[in-house]
Amino acid sequence: MSQTHRPAAAPAEDEPDLLRDQFRQLLRYRKLIGAGVGIGLLGGVYLGISTADTYVATADVVLRTPADDPFNPTIAADKTVNIGSERQTALSSSIAQEAAKKLGVPESGLAGLRSGLQVTNPPQSMVLRFTYTAGTPKAAATRANAMTEAYLTRRRAALEDTRNTMVKGYKDQRDPVAKQLDDLVKQISSMPAGPGRDAAYTSKTDLQSKVNSLNGSIAKLEALDMTPGRVTTTATPPADGDGPGVPMSLALGAAVGLALGLLAAWVRLVFDPSPRSDGDVSRALRAPVLGTLPRDRTGGGPLLAAGEADPRLAEEYRSVAFRLAYDARFADRRRLLVVAPRGSSETAAAVAVNLSASFAETGKDVLLIEADLRTPVLASQLPTDAGGRPRWSQMPGGAGHAGHADAEWPDGRQLVVDAGESGTFDLIPGDRVRNVPRSLTSPRATRLVSEADSQNSTVVVLAPPVLSYADALALVDRVDGVLVVCDPRAVRRTDLARIRELISGAGGTVLGAVLHGPLPGEKRGAGRGAAKAGKGAAADTAPA
């Protein structure tokens, strides 16, 4: 016969489900996302306002090289002009000084004049684009044209200086040769015919050839067209400002801010040690999340949820009890240990009480054992009546030692808790003892837990936080099934994994987890501080 009560294996999550889960996890950090959007909107407002009164004018210049034949296709301008060097020259202070003379800008305003200029080179072209940004349309156009003219003037002057220097060099080479040629001509005219005159004629021919060659080079340089370039686009006053406008700036700022906020949330999510989702809790404990308590639950009320005005909490406890009842590991022995990771056990106590009431509602004989012998509180917070003593609590001589200071726990007391419409269940209240581990592992406590072996009986044990004390581990081998009650925002994934390892090492099994929100007045991360405080309080109140 097949096992119908064994829970099915959790299906593997596909990629869309993982993406949706990660997106929901990012939305946990709404403050970071909101801060990013706010910063982006502030940046958009600043961009819209700062660029509202700026105007941009553009002028284009096509560069060319000096040539004696501008229609000669063998001369490639991009091979003789270094466009990068020309761009740096256009941005130099000498060009700004030349433009400042034309515009009448004083020497003190030279830095401001240069700051508004930007020179770029479109790819695969010999074009320099002069872009000037100013506070008015007219100033932007005037200064762009002035910078363009200053650059062309400076470039023409530089080319002409180079040509003049080369012409002077050729002339310096030609003049001595020409003087020597004139002297030789005078000598030839007075020389008689013969071999000497023939040799002089040969020297004259060589000198004349050198002079003609140098004259040709000089003539070629003087014939060059020294035009440095031409303006293809003259800057005109722009009709609109340079900025995208306040609405567009706000939209861009919001988009960039949202991206920054999501990035910050993702970084925070990556380095967040707490479980990011129910799936993280399940993976850390290797057990399912059986339920999540409603967030609007307020503290300070009764532990039993049956009498509250909001029925959601009681229904959530019933659903958790139903899931446990259909778990074969719990149905076989019907022993449940309820613990919290660390900090306060208030919510764990409420879960243990309400699960006992839910099991009692199904007609089972429920025994709730308060094994928290350091801070026992259930007897004072539940509506109880004295009940008859069970067989295991009979002391030698027929008298119990409930009122004796040295009596060991359990001391025979058994209370009946009235759970209203859910019925009643028995409560073994906790009590402060000298040696807690000895009391939890005593034969009496073992016989007490073994009550679940009776037909139609269920035992629920409430223990202190498992990471604060070792009390829960002393009961694991007797109870087997453990229910972890935790606030996912106040516990770390490593804590949950450690709980699973401790319980498995002690011979128990984690049946599942019940999640809840922070207690009233408790902030995120306060669980770790509360654990230290709770440990100190327990040490102060424990018997010497």
Side-chain angles (χ1 to χ4, degrees):
M1 186 175 181
S2 61
Q3 290 283 351
T4 59
H5 297 295
R6 187 173 299 277
E13 295 180 297
D14 55 4
E15 186 173 353
D17 290 338
L18 290 176
L19 291 176
R20 284 191 293 270
D21 184 54
Q22 291 178 359
F23 184 73
R24 285 193 297 268
Q25 294 169 16
L26 287 177
L27 294 181
R28 291 174 53 188
Y29 307 103
R30 297 182 182 89
K31 292 183 179 179
L32 281 177
I33 298 176
V37 174
I39 293 174
L41 289 176
L42 290 177
V45 171
Y46 173 77
L47 177 64
I49 294 177
S50 62
T51 58
D53 55 352
T54 58
Y55 297 88
V56 176
T58 304
D60 291 341
V61 176
V62 178
L63 303 182
R64 64 181 301 274
T65 58
D68 56 351
D69 184 5
F71 302 104
N72 187 359
T74 60
I75 301 177
D78 57 343
K79 302 299 183 182
T80 57
V81 177
N82 190 331
I83 195 68
S85 299
E86 294 298 330
R87 177 178 173 274
Q88 295 298 324
T89 303
L91 292 170
S92 65
S93 59
S94 60
I95 303 299
Q97 290 174 355
E98 185 72 22
K101 295 178 182 178
K102 296 181 180 181
L103 296 172
V105 177
E107 188 71 20
S108 59
L110 187 61
L113 180 63
R114 292 183 60 188
S115 63
L117 178 64
Q118 183 181 7
V119 181
T120 58
N121 169 235
Q124 305 297 326
S125 69
M126 295 296 297
V127 176
L128 286 182
R129 179 163 296 165
F130 289 75
T131 303
Y132 201 92
T133 304
T136 61
K138 184 177 179 180
T142 302
R143 294 193 173 191
N145 291 326
M147 298 296 285
T148 303
E149 294 174 4
Y151 168 73
L152 291 177
T153 301
R154 283 284 181 174
R155 188 163 191 268
R156 176 186 286 274
L159 293 176
E160 290 179 350
D161 290 343
T162 302
R163 182 188 62 176
N164 296 336
T165 301
M166 294 183 67
V167 169
K168 183 178 180 300
Y170 282 131
K171 287 181 178 180
D172 292 342
Q173 297 179 31
R174 182 199 62 181
D175 291 344
V177 176
K179 185 178 182 301
Q180 185 180 0
L181 178 62
D182 292 340
D183 294 341
L184 185 59
V185 170
K186 293 178 180 180
Q187 292 177 6
I188 291 175
S189 61
S190 61
M191 291 177 65
R197 189 172 183 175
D198 294 339
Y201 271 113
T202 302
S203 299
K204 176 187 174 183
T205 303
D206 293 339
L207 293 174
Q208 187 66 50
S209 176
K210 291 180 180 180
V211 170
N212 292 337
S213 176
L214 292 172
N215 286 333
S217 298
I218 293 171
K220 186 176 181 180
L221 287 173
E222 291 177 344
L224 289 176
D225 181 7
M226 304 304 294
T227 303
R230 68 180 186 276
V231 179
T232 58
T233 303
T234 303
T236 57
D240 299 323
D242 178 51
V246 176
M248 182 61 68
S249 298
L250 288 175
L252 292 175
V256 174
L258 179 62
L260 290 176
L262 290 175
L263 177 62
W266 179 79
V267 173
R268 180 68 179 87
L269 181 66
V270 169
F271 292 98
D272 189 2
S274 63
R276 298 186 292 263
S277 63
D278 293 357
D280 283 353
V281 176
S282 299
R283 284 187 289 271
L285 291 175
R286 296 182 185 177
V289 175
L290 300 178
T292 302
L293 303 184
R295 295 182 179 180
D296 58 351
R297 179 177 180 266
T298 58
L303 289 179
L304 281 171
E308 292 190 358
D310 188 1
R312 293 182 301 168
L313 188 59
E315 291 301 324
E316 186 65 28
Y317 285 125
R318 291 188 181 97
S319 65
V320 173
F322 178 80
R323 295 186 182 100
L324 284 173
Y326 275 81
D327 191 324
R329 296 169 297 180
F330 176 74
D332 290 342
R333 302 192 66 180
R334 300 182 304 282
R335 301 172 183 176
L336 181 65
L337 178 67
V338 181
V339 293
R342 62 173 78 245
S344 173
S345 296
E346 178 181 348
T347 307
V351 171
V353 169
N354 286 278
L355 286 181
S356 300
S358 300
F359 288 135
E361 192 174 6
T362 61
K364 294 184 178 297
D365 297 329
V366 181
L367 177 64
L368 173 60
I369 303 174
E370 186 180 14
D372 188 353
L373 306 184
R374 303 178 188 274
T375 55
V377 294
L378 292 186
S380 61
Q381 296 185 6
L382 292 176
T384 58
D385 293 326
R389 293 179 179 177
R391 292 184 302 275
W392 52 264
S393 63
Q394 296 291 339
M395 303 292 293
H401 292 263
H404 195 275
D406 294 336
E408 295 183 0
W409 181 90
D411 55 5
R413 286 187 301 162
Q414 180 174 343
L415 305 178
V416 178
V417 179
D418 183 8
E421 296 180 354
S422 300
T424 60
F425 60 90
D426 295 333
L427 169 66
I428 303 298
D431 197 4
R432 291 188 177 90
V433 296
R434 289 180 177 273
N435 193 320
V436 174
R438 180 182 299 174
S439 299
L440 294 177
T441 56
S442 64
R444 293 184 180 184
T446 303
R447 291 177 53 195
L448 186 61
V449 176
S450 64
E451 288 292 316
D453 294 338
S454 303
Q455 187 177 4
N456 202 36
S457 298
T458 301
V459 172
V460 179
V461 182
L462 173 64
V466 66
L467 295 181
S468 300
Y469 308 99
D471 301 353
L473 300 179
L475 296 167
V476 165
D477 59 340
R478 295 167 175 78
V479 178
D480 294 341
V482 180
L483 179 65
V484 179
V485 181
C486 64
D487 177 7
R489 293 172 297 179
V491 70
R492 297 180 178 180
R493 293 189 296 272
T494 55
D495 292 341
L496 297 178
R498 184 185 175 195
I499 290 173
R500 174 181 53 79
E501 293 172 356
L502 291 175
I503 292 175
S504 300
T509 303
V510 179
L511 299 179
V514 175
L515 308 183
H516 63 89
L519 298 176
E522 183 182 67
K523 297 182 179 180
R524 181 176 180 174
R528 291 183 286 273
K532 297 179 181 179
K535 185 182 294 185
D540 293 340
T541 56

